[in-house]
Amino acid sequence: MPAACAIQAGYTIDCRESIGGLQAVFIAEFGNITSVADVSGLVTGITKATGKRFYKFEVPRAVANATSSGTGSEENGSFFYTHQVVFPINKRDSTTANIIRTLAKNKCMVVTLDMDGVYRMYGKGNGLFVATVDSGSGTAAGDRQGYNLTLSGIEKDEMLQVNSATGLALETAG
């Protein structure tokens, strides 16, 4: 009996060259991204509306992460991915609060720059929304006084890798 979805490749353990964590999170309004060119899971171009760009949020080391988790239902024949990007902002003032308020009102497209220098896109098809914002003063002198943001969304496909040239142009206005 032929398989309906043919498996095309396997996986071999390769050199250990990976490192976890994020260096930065880039966020744009979903509606200001007019097209995303991708080939087999690699984004080769992002077209932004005139004058629009991604905004960079630098993140402290070892406290931010991004995930793309698949969920399937055998009974319903469905499969989808939950994209989630979590990062802190170590500032708690009115300017930062206004930035977060604006993010919370938007549907966003997010690109991360991982610690291994790889750019990855989350929310290409449906966008991500701010799911939670935690704001706190901390307790001890060394605690964070700031925010922790979680952006989340449901996608048909897993996150996409973004080629370096496209990643380097994220902050350039369209």
Side-chain angles (χ1 to χ4, degrees):
M1 175 191 281
C5 299
I7 296 173
Q8 300 288 322
Y11 174 76
T12 302
I13 295 175
D14 203 352
C15 301
R16 293 188 299 172
E17 300 173 330
S18 186
I19 182 171
L22 302 179
Q23 294 181 39
V25 176
F26 299 86
I27 303 175
E29 299 97 333
F30 187 86
N32 288 331
I33 305 304
T34 57
S35 70
V36 175
D38 72 275
V39 178
S40 299
L42 178 65
V43 174
T44 57
I46 300 171
T47 305
K48 299 164 266 190
T50 303
K52 301 303 178 179
R53 66 188 187 97
F54 282 80
Y55 289 89
K56 182 179 182 179
F57 291 78
E58 292 181 349
V59 296
R61 187 173 28 136
V63 294
N65 70 78
T67 58
S68 179
S69 304
T71 303
S73 168
E74 183 178 349
E75 300 79 15
N76 297 324
S78 61
F79 194 87
F80 64 92
Y81 289 88
T82 301
H83 290 197
Q84 190 170 53
V85 178
V86 179
F87 66 98
I89 297 178
N90 290 339
K91 188 85 169 193
R92 194 168 173 229
D93 61 10
S94 59
T95 300
T96 308
N98 287 331
I99 291 168
I100 292 169
R101 191 173 296 113
T102 301
L103 285 177
K105 292 177 181 179
N106 270 288
K107 178 190 215 181
C108 303
M109 185 174 291
V110 177
V111 175
T112 61
L113 174 57
D114 294 3
M115 290 298 289
D116 58 5
V118 176
Y119 292 91
R120 291 186 169 85
M121 177 181 283
Y122 298 85
K124 177 195 175 220
N126 301 314
L128 302 183
F129 292 91
V130 173
T132 62
V133 176
D134 297 316
S135 170
S137 64
T139 303
D143 290 349
R144 171 181 297 115
Q145 184 176 116
Y147 297 89
N148 202 52
L149 284 81
T150 301
L151 286 85
S152 185
I154 303 293
E155 292 288 326
K156 176 184 169 201
D157 297 311
E158 190 179 10
M159 60 79 203
L160 301 170
Q161 186 173 332
V162 178
N163 71 17
S164 294
T166 302
L168 291 170
L170 291 170
E171 294 180 275
T172 304

